[in-house]
Amino acid sequence: MNRLTDSTASVSLSNMANTRLLLTKMMLNDGGEEELVLRSYEKDGLKMVIFYLMVVLSLGLVLLLIYWKPELECYLKKRRCALYKAEVVMIKDHYGHASVVKVDYIFLDDVSTAEGYNRHVYHDAPVDVDDTTVLVTGDSPTIRYFDFQQIRYIWDAQQYTFRKLEDLSSGTRCATIHDEFPGLSASTQAHKRLLHGLNSIVIEVKSYWRLFIEEVLNPFYIFQVCSIILWAFDEYYYYASCIFLISLISISVSLYETKRQSQTLSDMVGSLETNISVCRGGQEFEEIPNQNLVPGDLIAIPPHGCVMMCDAVLVAGTCIVNESMLTGESVPVTKTPLSHQEDEEVYTPENHKRHTLFAGTHVVQTRYYGQAKVLAVVVRTGFNTAKGELVRAILYPKPLGFKFYQDAMRFILFLAVVASLGMIYSIIIETQMGAYPGKIVLRVLDIITIVVPPALPAAMTVGTVYAQNRLKKAGIFCISPPRINFCGRINTFCFDKTGTLTEDGLDMWGVVPAQNQCFQEPIRKLPELPRSQILVCMATCHSLTLIDGELMGDPLDLIMFNSLNWSLEEPGQDNTKYDTLMPTIVKPSDKDSFISDEVPFEVGIVRQFTFSSSMQRMSVITRTLGHNHMEIYSKGAPEKIASLCNPETVPENFQPVLHTYTVQGLRVIALAYRPLEAKVNWHQVQRISRDKVECNLTFLGLLVMQNQLKPETTPVIRTLLEAKLRTVMVTGDMIQTAVSVSRNCGMVQPRDKVVIVNAHPPDKQQTARIEWEYAELPTDIDIVSEQDTDIDSDAGQDSNASSPLLSPGSESRMTAVKGYRTVNVSDEGPRHHLAITGKSFAVITAHFPEMLEKICTKGTVFARMSPEQKCQLIQNLQKLDYIVGMCGDGANDCEALKAAHAGISLSEAEASVAAPFTSRISNIECVVTAMREGRAALVTSFGCFKYMALYSFIQFVSVLILYTFGANLSDFEFLYIDLVITTTIAVLMGYTGPYHKLVRKKPPGSLVKVSNLLSIIMQVLLVGGMQVSAYFYLRSQSWYEEPPPSKDLENVQSWESTVIFLVSSYMYISVAFCFSKGPPFRKPIYTNYPFLISMMFLFGFSTFLLLLPLPEIEHFLEMKELHEKSITFRLYLFGFAVAFAIMSSFMEYMIVDSSMLKPCYKAIKKRGPQNRYKVVENEIKNSDWPPVGQVTFPTTNAIHVSDIHVEMNSQSAIH
């Protein structure tokens, strides 16, 4: 029985293996935005023969189609096959875009490198599909792989699948990094380099010739080339030559800009080729080029610093790093070695970033206590590094999905349908006239070039180009121009708090010592602090360092240390600190006052446990001169520090006192310490686990700082609220502080109520639950008012003290209401705002997913949010159909800045890969600037698109009327219309600047909006009516004679073509004026001087052609002798032009934009699908939500979450 069972199982496993081996399709990175679907193909001889016949018969058109649609290559030339035999793979990404990638081979002399490093032996496919054993093909093992978007995927011959090539950043224990990478031999490194490729981030800067070929093969230019050939066959030589010249200039400008931007990006992310010292085992080091590094190399960081070319984790020594290239934050960061207490953890660059040196960052200094080198193990190289991922996001951006561009493509297809109708009409008319077949074909094809204007894509980008240049002049740099249009549609803007809404620096408020489980009176003058543990804690618990004689580090640490009037000394010069054993020393500047028994009061910092956002604290181990033991000092989030302290040392009124300060918007940090046993020596301290010493601490007190709003913050928030834009605060600070700042800056109005959402994960006693409580009670207001008075009086005594965050303001439109500085934006009733912490956000995501939409819709304050949670919040808002902007200034915001529709990084750098926009303006005024420019660019794009559409329809109507009588416009008449009028207008129309303020009205986001369609339809009908009227007026003249039919359709010098040309030339100018709308999104048209002057010139010249025609000009344009006809006839034609201009303007401004039609627009709009957030808002509005004072439990038995509530004591809100 057992044998049978074993045999059955063996057969089952064998069948499963064979099934997987024969798969022709698989999925990679399942479930995420990087999800890929692979289909495998190999050559097919018969298909290849048929394909080349198709190429010959189509004169190469098939090759062009493959260039535009790469997946056609697989369908036309290859056949499906098993993955293990694939020669190429067709890859479809998460957004449906297809690519065809070749499968290559790596030949290794020894595959042990791949085996040891990647956990599997990557050989070629087995020769016998019935044998599940991995066999080696040929004399040497081979690895099959393909590269897609700079990421390498290799064939796993044991699992019969492709998978992403691994490095040390995934699935590697910290102990493995310490123990198994003492340095790679040269041969091992060479094998790994074959597998991983060179360690370089190279952005290819293509040659002008290659760019030219790629540009010419663009569908737009292919259409241009075909049009030029068509016009040449139709003997429009001048017109074809001019269009060719214009296209050549356009291509040249495009090539120059493309190469310049590519070169700029390459220079920004590239690094100089330098050498680095690599360990070959033991104490043997060798200098090799940086590009030869591979994961697993042990490198020595130069004492004078360097620019990192890879991601590496420190295993010995300390580094001071400037990470502004990646984060936009120029504050130096201290990197410490990966400690042994983390050996059981799995290493990830995100969780261990305080130990990781990232590619692109600048190591300012290296330090090591002892005669040794600063060592780091390479974990990622090339495009797999953190810098490489950001560069890949630029090179391969996710589709923006802007409805405007989708509608534009649909409208072009609609124009193609219109062109086909015109072609049918033309064929019928010209056939009845007995025209030559060749001429009929030329005329029919010419209609396509008229109805679908080749310049349409270029005209749509004009507004964006002008906006980008204006933003650059304003100190805002954009590396993704399409995002500018998104700025015009933003309806929700998220802000980081510290450094964005508030000042970068903090002002010291004072210290609240704790003793005998009671808080003492606050001490405001810190230099007068008595010699005590709280003083030593403030003097030592930081990550400050001296760089070129200047104290550098976190702004909070700088404020804290400088307020004590102490000094910091580091032994040796900057470039020799790495090989010294002496610790950093801190001591009072006034030495005489700190001498006891002739022993100076000096404290040495023996070891640092750097700040971690996940741990919410930092610690140092110190030794005071003359003491026989060491001490640990910690500072961090009050609730975290209190949890690490002996409960007997934490004051009983800890929460109420903490609430008293945080509700004012003050920054509060808790301090604690513990003496270590005397037997603990220096070597033990260097290896001890932080969780073994960060416990059973003694609570010392609270450090209180003021975090003032930037002066520009409140006016900007007021501007956004007045424009009906939602504002959200996303911060890592305490929730009470964040709520207070939100009230002070105006995000939360004085009459509004803030509800704190406290979500608790399940425990042994009960399931997960949500508690809803008000953030402030009436007592809080009294506290704020009293504290304001106290702070103001103290500030008057201390000239160095800054004004409090909540002091009553005297600015216009700002009043002191209930102790808060507030902004009066509207007279709406009080609203509920939700405030939630990152911990609660995680619980709700995991246990209350159905509540997440409501939380994101009503949430205004998101506190204690990690970088990953900030990104998740942005993505959740986008799922609710919000157009989301994000503004931040530091490393914690990078992921959110990249995820937002428009992310703005406040940075002194000219450009950073941290966000699509980088602002050198260090306040949020850049948000309003970007949104104003975005609205102007979007409206300009709409205007240009509508103008180009009307230009096509005007000319379409003209040629259909003329084709009816076998006539057409002359070569130079086409040139005057297309080049002199249309090109000038299209280029200058977008030069109008943005309106000076944001208004509540939002610019349209769709071309198929009812008002846009109504505008275009009415204008087209008016164009047709006026041109037909002008034609009939011509026929009514006594001297008019209908021209005889012409089989060659070359009748260009006729009264029909002359009249239609003159009347239509005014139409191009009139519709340009109608579609160049000014306020409320752009400045008035008269501020665009180039455009206004050109319009006046074009109108004047067209009038000159009509009323005062010169025989020479008539002959040049191939017009009839208009000067011989009466002035009355010409004035009537001029009347048609003026009437069209008046009626066109009336329809656009008085009918389409009429307030009477707005209810109709809204009624039609409501029939369409609503944005998800509006649906959620309506659900909340029609229900008693949020359930304040109640407890919500997870849904069970299909009962809605909001129906399961338990009343709770509202007085707990202050706790």
Side-chain angles (χ1 to χ4, degrees):
M1 179 67 68
N2 290 337
R3 288 182 182 177
L4 180 60
T5 302
D6 292 343
S7 175
T8 303
S10 176
V11 171
S12 177
L13 289 173
S14 177
N15 290 337
M16 185 184 299
N18 291 340
T19 301
R20 296 185 63 182
L21 182 62
L22 296 175
L23 287 176
T24 63
K25 175 183 175 182
M26 66 169 294
M27 189 173 292
L28 294 173
N29 312 322
D30 191 12
E33 287 191 354
E34 295 187 0
E35 179 180 280
L36 303 175
V37 177
L38 267 63
R39 290 180 174 85
S40 50
Y41 291 87
E42 63 180 358
K43 288 182 180 178
D44 185 315
L46 179 60
K47 282 190 174 182
M48 290 290 289
V49 173
I50 297 173
F51 170 77
Y52 286 118
L53 285 174
M54 292 171 62
V55 170
V56 174
L57 295 175
S58 66
L59 301 178
L61 180 61
V62 172
L63 295 176
L64 195 60
L65 293 176
I66 288 178
Y67 179 80
W68 293 338
K69 299 283 287 182
E71 60 267 33
L72 292 178
E73 179 183 2
C74 294
Y75 301 143
L76 298 177
K77 297 170 61 177
K78 304 181 185 301
R79 63 169 177 262
R80 296 286 292 273
C81 68
L83 284 166
Y84 77 91
K85 296 194 298 181
E87 297 175 354
V88 297
V89 289
M90 184 174 71
I91 303 173
K92 281 197 173 180
D93 62 18
H94 181 68
Y95 308 101
H97 297 166
S99 304
V100 177
V101 179
K102 181 183 178 183
V103 177
D104 278 325
Y105 293 82
I106 296 175
F107 298 92
L108 299 176
D109 296 329
D110 180 10
V111 82
S112 59
T113 301
E115 179 180 8
Y117 186 67
N118 287 285
R119 301 161 178 79
H120 294 293
V121 183
Y122 301 110
H123 295 201
D124 207 345
V127 294
D128 184 359
V129 296
D130 293 327
D131 188 357
T132 58
T133 305
V134 178
L135 300 177
V136 177
T137 303
D139 298 329
S140 62
T142 60
I143 298 175
R144 305 173 66 246
Y145 75 95
F146 66 86
D147 292 330
F148 178 69
Q149 294 185 351
Q150 310 297 338
I151 298 297
R152 179 159 293 182
Y153 297 85
I154 55 177
W155 175 252
D156 185 337
Q158 293 185 355
Q159 299 296 323
Y160 308 117
T161 182
F162 282 101
R163 65 183 182 86
K164 188 176 179 179
L165 177 60
E166 298 172 359
D167 49 37
L168 297 188
S169 65
S170 59
T172 306
R173 292 172 57 247
C174 295
T176 304
I177 293 177
H178 274 293
D179 301 335
E180 298 185 14
F181 296 97
L184 303 178
S185 65
S187 60
T188 302
Q189 185 189 62
H191 280 107
K192 285 181 176 288
R193 193 160 56 250
L194 283 174
L195 198 62
H196 291 272
L198 291 176
N199 172 41
S200 60
I201 300 176
V202 178
I203 296 179
E204 182 184 7
V205 181
K206 300 174 183 178
S207 66
Y208 278 115
W209 174 248
R210 182 174 173 185
L211 287 173
F212 175 76
I213 296 299
E214 292 181 355
E215 191 78 10
V216 168
L217 293 180
N218 184 288
F220 162 66
Y221 283 111
I222 290 293
F223 186 46
Q224 284 278 45
V225 170
C226 294
S227 300
I228 291 171
I229 294 173
L230 174 66
W231 296 325
F233 274 112
D234 205 14
E235 299 181 4
Y236 280 84
Y237 300 121
Y238 292 111
Y239 185 75
S241 301
C242 288
I243 294 296
F244 175 77
L245 182 62
I246 294 295
S247 299
L248 198 60
I249 294 174
S250 175
I251 289 176
S252 301
V253 172
S254 176
L255 295 187
Y256 172 77
E257 284 296 319
T258 302
K259 189 175 178 67
R260 184 183 65 82
Q261 292 180 7
S262 179
Q263 188 65 57
T264 300
L265 184 60
S266 178
D267 294 341
M268 184 171 69
V269 304
S271 301
L272 296 175
E273 293 185 6
T274 57
N275 292 340
I276 194 163
S277 184
V278 176
C279 181
R280 293 303 187 197
Q283 295 300 315
E284 180 184 352
F285 285 84
E286 177 186 355
E287 291 280 332
I288 66 169
N290 264 300
Q291 64 178 7
N292 289 345
L293 292 175
V294 296
D297 268 328
L298 183 65
I299 59 176
I301 310 299
H304 294 276
C306 63
V307 175
M308 292 299 297
M309 293 283 288
C310 61
D311 286 355
V313 57
L314 276 173
V315 293
T318 303
C319 292
I320 311 297
V321 184
N322 183 338
E323 296 185 328
S324 60
M325 173 62 186
L326 292 183
T327 67
E329 189 173 14
S330 57
V331 176
V333 180
T334 301
K335 302 285 186 175
T336 57
L338 193 68
S339 57
H340 283 279
Q341 67 265 22
E342 298 169 303
D343 281 354
E344 297 306 314
E345 298 179 18
V346 174
Y347 170 78
T348 62
E350 294 76 20
N351 294 337
H352 298 86
K353 61 183 178 182
R354 282 291 179 175
H355 312 303
T356 306
L357 304 174
F358 293 103
T361 60
H362 180 209
V363 178
V364 181
Q365 287 182 9
T366 61
R367 299 177 180 179
Y368 193 94
Y369 299 124
Q371 301 293 327
K373 296 177 180 291
V374 175
L375 302 176
V377 174
V378 177
V379 293
R380 296 188 296 197
T381 58
F383 279 93
N384 291 311
T385 62
K387 176 183 176 181
E389 290 176 358
L390 291 175
V391 175
R392 285 178 58 241
I394 297 173
L395 296 177
Y396 312 105
K398 67 178 183 180
L400 297 177
F402 198 25
K403 204 170 188 312
F404 172 67
Y405 300 116
Q406 299 169 2
D407 292 342
M409 294 302 106
R410 294 192 187 102
F411 196 81
I412 289 175
L413 292 176
F414 168 72
L415 291 178
V417 173
V418 173
S420 63
L421 296 177
M423 292 165 65
I424 295 172
Y425 174 80
S426 178
I427 291 173
I428 295 172
I429 291 296
E430 291 167 359
T431 302
Q432 291 176 350
M433 295 173 60
Y436 297 122
K439 286 295 181 181
I440 295 177
V441 171
L442 291 176
R443 287 290 178 267
V444 166
L445 294 176
D446 196 29
I447 288 178
I448 300 176
T449 67
I450 291 171
V451 177
V452 185
L456 182 59
M460 289 170 56
T461 62
V462 169
T464 304
V465 172
Y466 285 128
Q468 186 178 11
N469 290 332
R470 287 193 297 263
L471 285 172
K472 187 174 182 180
K473 291 178 182 178
I476 303 172
F477 302 89
C478 177
I479 60 174
S480 179
R483 302 264 182 175
I484 294 175
N485 278 342
F486 270 103
C487 290
R489 291 290 297 168
I490 288 175
N491 50 26
T492 298
F493 222 103
C494 300
F495 296 93
D496 179 37
K497 183 181 77 68
T498 307
T500 303
L501 297 175
T502 61
E503 297 286 358
D504 288 317
L506 297 167
D507 295 322
M508 181 60 66
W509 185 89
V511 175
V512 186
Q515 189 175 359
N516 300 326
Q517 282 193 287
C518 293
F519 282 110
Q520 308 300 306
E521 288 296 318
I523 299 175
R524 301 296 302 277
K525 298 181 179 180
L526 298 191
E528 298 179 4
L529 271 173
R531 176 176 172 179
S532 60
Q533 277 82 19
I534 197 169
L535 176 66
V536 177
C537 183
M538 294 173 62
T540 59
C541 195
H542 52 71
S543 57
L544 301 178
T545 186
L546 289 171
I547 299 177
D548 296 329
E550 183 180 358
L551 202 59
M552 303 287 287
D554 186 270
L556 185 149
D557 291 342
L558 280 170
I559 296 293
M560 178 182 69
F561 186 79
N562 289 334
S563 67
L564 301 177
N565 197 25
W566 279 42
S567 61
L568 181 144
E569 295 180 358
E570 292 177 327
Q573 301 296 321
D574 285 351
N575 58 356
T576 62
K577 291 172 185 171
Y578 73 100
D579 61 358
T580 62
L581 185 61
M582 297 293 293
T584 298
I585 302 295
V586 294
K587 56 186 178 181
S589 297
D590 185 7
K591 299 181 181 179
D592 295 335
S593 62
F594 286 90
I595 295 180
S596 177
D597 299 329
E598 299 183 355
V599 177
F601 184 41
E602 297 181 353
V603 184
I605 302 173
V606 179
R607 185 177 178 191
Q608 289 182 1
F609 297 106
T610 55
F611 175 80
S612 167
S613 57
S614 59
M615 294 184 176
Q616 298 181 329
R617 66 184 184 274
M618 78 160 292
S619 300
V620 293
I621 296 178
T622 69
R623 183 162 187 170
T624 305
L625 189 62
H627 289 192
N628 64 349
H629 67 276
M630 298 185 189
E631 297 168 317
I632 179 170
Y633 291 93
S634 299
K635 80 172 192 297
E639 60 270 26
K640 176 58 69 174
I641 294 296
S643 68
L644 299 175
C645 290
N646 185 338
E648 297 179 357
T649 66
V650 180
E652 294 179 356
N653 59 342
F654 171 78
Q655 285 290 352
V657 171
L658 176 62
H659 188 78
T660 299
Y661 289 106
T662 56
V663 77
Q664 303 172 64
L666 298 171
R667 182 81 177 271
V668 183
I669 297 167
L671 309 174
Y673 99 108
R674 178 167 74 89
L676 302 181
E677 297 180 6
K679 64 181 181 180
V680 177
N681 59 35
W682 187 90
H683 292 286
Q684 291 174 325
V685 164
Q686 299 306 313
R687 297 181 62 87
I688 198 168
S689 167
R690 72 185 294 173
D691 59 349
K692 291 181 180 178
V693 290
E694 290 179 333
C695 60
N696 200 30
L697 302 175
T698 298
F699 189 83
L700 293 175
L702 301 176
L703 175 66
V704 184
M705 294 183 171
Q706 294 177 142
N707 194 190
Q708 290 182 296
L709 284 174
K710 292 181 179 179
E712 301 85 2
T713 295
T714 302
V716 169
I717 297 297
R718 180 172 67 241
T719 298
L720 297 178
L721 293 177
E722 287 177 344
K724 286 295 182 181
L725 295 168
R726 182 185 172 195
T727 55
V728 177
M729 184 189 300
V730 191
T731 178
D733 209 342
M734 290 188 63
I735 191 166
Q736 290 88 355
T737 303
V739 169
S740 179
V741 172
S742 70
R743 282 197 178 275
N744 185 54
C745 70
M747 282 188 184
V748 178
Q749 296 297 297
R751 293 182 295 170
D752 292 350
K753 296 180 180 180
V754 178
V755 178
I756 293 183
V757 184
N758 286 320
H760 304 276
D763 50 35
K764 295 180 180 179
Q765 283 74 31
Q766 52 187 326
T767 61
R769 62 198 184 280
I770 304 176
E771 297 174 357
W772 312 81
E773 54 191 34
Y774 284 118
E776 302 113 340
L777 295 178
T779 53
D780 295 331
I781 308 303
D782 299 334
I783 289 170
V784 172
S785 300
E786 294 172 4
Q787 291 293 334
D788 284 346
T789 305
D790 295 340
I791 293 172
D792 285 338
S793 61
D794 291 335
Q797 297 172 4
D798 185 2
S799 60
N800 295 325
S802 300
S803 60
L805 184 65
L806 298 177
S807 62
S810 58
E811 302 177 37
S812 61
R813 300 190 66 184
M814 304 180 68
T815 57
V817 179
K818 296 184 179 181
Y820 295 107
R821 192 175 70 183
T822 60
V823 182
N824 296 323
V825 175
S826 67
D827 296 327
E828 296 178 2
R831 299 173 55 229
H832 281 88
H833 300 261
L834 300 185
I836 185 171
T837 63
K839 179 181 176 182
S840 297
F841 187 79
V843 172
I844 291 173
T845 302
H847 301 283
F848 301 85
E850 60 272 35
M851 300 284 286
L852 199 57
E853 287 188 341
K854 291 184 178 180
I855 296 291
C856 291
T857 301
K858 297 297 291 183
T860 298
V861 176
F862 294 82
R864 289 284 190 243
M865 297 286 280
S866 68
E868 294 77 14
Q869 287 176 324
K870 289 183 179 182
C871 182
Q872 291 170 12
L873 174 63
I874 297 293
Q875 292 170 344
N876 280 310
L877 289 171
Q878 290 171 336
K879 290 178 182 177
L880 288 166
D881 299 325
Y882 283 109
I883 306 297
V884 187
M886 173 72 191
C887 184
D889 73 324
N892 291 343
D893 307 316
C894 281
E895 292 183 49
L897 291 171
K898 299 294 289 185
H901 290 106
I904 306 177
S905 172
L906 304 184
S907 172
E908 295 180 0
E910 179 173 308
S912 169
V913 294
F917 296 88
T918 303
S919 172
R920 297 178 72 174
I921 306 169
S922 60
N923 59 69
I924 62 172
E925 283 184 337
C926 60
V927 168
V928 176
T929 303
M931 292 185 67
R932 286 171 49 240
E933 290 289 356
R935 290 184 172 193
L938 186 58
V939 170
T940 298
S941 297
F942 270 97
C944 286
F945 188 92
K946 288 169 67 176
Y947 173 72
M948 296 302 293
L950 258 295
Y951 149 72
S952 300
F953 278 115
I954 292 170
Q955 200 167 87
F956 178 62
V957 172
S958 298
V959 297
L960 285 187
I961 293 174
L962 296 177
Y963 283 1
T964 305
F965 306 99
N968 201 359
L969 297 175
S970 69
D971 206 343
F972 287 104
E973 285 173 338
F974 271 123
L975 276 176
Y976 176 70
I977 291 172
D978 291 351
L979 298 186
V980 179
I981 297 180
T982 306
T983 303
T984 303
I985 288 174
V987 169
L988 297 179
M989 182 185 285
Y991 194 70
T992 307
Y995 196 52
H996 66 275
K997 64 179 291 185
L998 288 178
V999 296
R1000 294 187 177 188
K1001 183 180 178 181
K1002 304 294 190 300
S1006 171
L1007 278 173
V1008 295
K1009 188 178 177 182
V1010 179
S1011 58
N1012 286 332
L1013 294 178
L1014 180 63
S1015 171
I1016 292 175
I1017 292 171
M1018 291 178 67
Q1019 294 287 353
V1020 170
L1021 293 176
L1022 181 61
V1023 164
M1026 280 297 176
Q1027 290 198 32
V1028 171
S1029 298
Y1031 167 71
F1032 280 113
Y1033 174 69
L1034 171 66
R1035 290 182 63 93
S1036 68
Q1037 300 304 305
S1038 58
W1039 44 262
Y1040 173 77
E1041 294 182 2
E1042 187 171 331
S1046 172
K1047 292 186 177 182
D1048 60 2
L1049 304 176
E1050 292 295 337
N1051 189 11
V1052 296
Q1053 193 171 12
S1054 64
W1055 281 112
E1056 289 84 359
S1057 60
T1058 300
V1059 169
I1060 294 297
F1061 163 69
L1062 290 171
V1063 172
S1064 65
S1065 64
Y1066 285 98
M1067 294 179 175
Y1068 299 107
I1069 303 170
S1070 298
V1071 294
F1073 175 81
C1074 291
F1075 295 151
S1076 296
K1077 296 181 180 179
F1081 305 118
R1082 302 199 308 170
K1083 290 181 179 179
I1085 189 174
Y1086 58 77
T1087 62
N1088 186 348
Y1089 298 119
F1091 180 68
L1092 193 63
I1093 292 171
S1094 66
M1095 291 274 287
M1096 294 172 62
F1097 171 79
L1098 292 172
F1099 182 84
F1101 187 77
S1102 295
T1103 303
F1104 172 75
L1105 287 178
L1106 177 60
L1107 299 181
L1108 301 171
L1110 296 177
E1112 293 80 8
I1113 296 180
E1114 291 175 341
H1115 177 71
F1116 178 77
L1117 294 175
E1118 297 185 65
M1119 295 168 53
K1120 293 292 282 185
E1121 296 78 8
L1122 188 63
H1123 67 280
E1124 297 178 355
K1125 302 304 176 184
S1126 68
I1127 188 66
T1128 304
F1129 173 71
R1130 284 174 275 166
L1131 286 174
Y1132 267 102
L1133 293 180
F1134 182 72
F1136 279 110
V1138 173
F1140 176 85
I1142 294 173
M1143 294 175 67
S1144 175
S1145 300
F1146 178 82
M1147 287 194 303
E1148 190 67 24
Y1149 291 98
M1150 303 304 293
I1151 297 180
V1152 175
D1153 293 343
S1154 170
S1155 58
M1156 294 187 297
L1157 290 180
K1158 287 183 180 179
C1160 299
Y1161 296 155
K1162 290 181 180 179
I1164 296 173
K1165 184 179 179 181
K1166 285 182 179 179
R1167 294 181 181 179
Q1170 273 192 313
N1171 291 323
R1172 180 59 190 165
Y1173 70 86
K1174 291 184 178 179
V1175 176
V1176 176
E1177 285 177 348
N1178 289 332
E1179 291 177 359
I1180 294 173
K1181 187 177 180 180
N1182 297 326
S1183 63
D1184 186 17
W1185 197 92
V1188 183
Q1190 302 179 5
V1191 179
T1192 303
F1193 295 97
T1195 304
T1196 55
N1197 299 327
I1199 303 176
H1200 195 272
V1201 173
S1202 60
D1203 293 332
I1204 310 177
H1205 300 303
V1206 177
E1207 295 294 331
M1208 70 181 210
N1209 186 358
S1210 62
Q1211 294 297 320
S1212 64
I1214 62 172
H1215 302 294

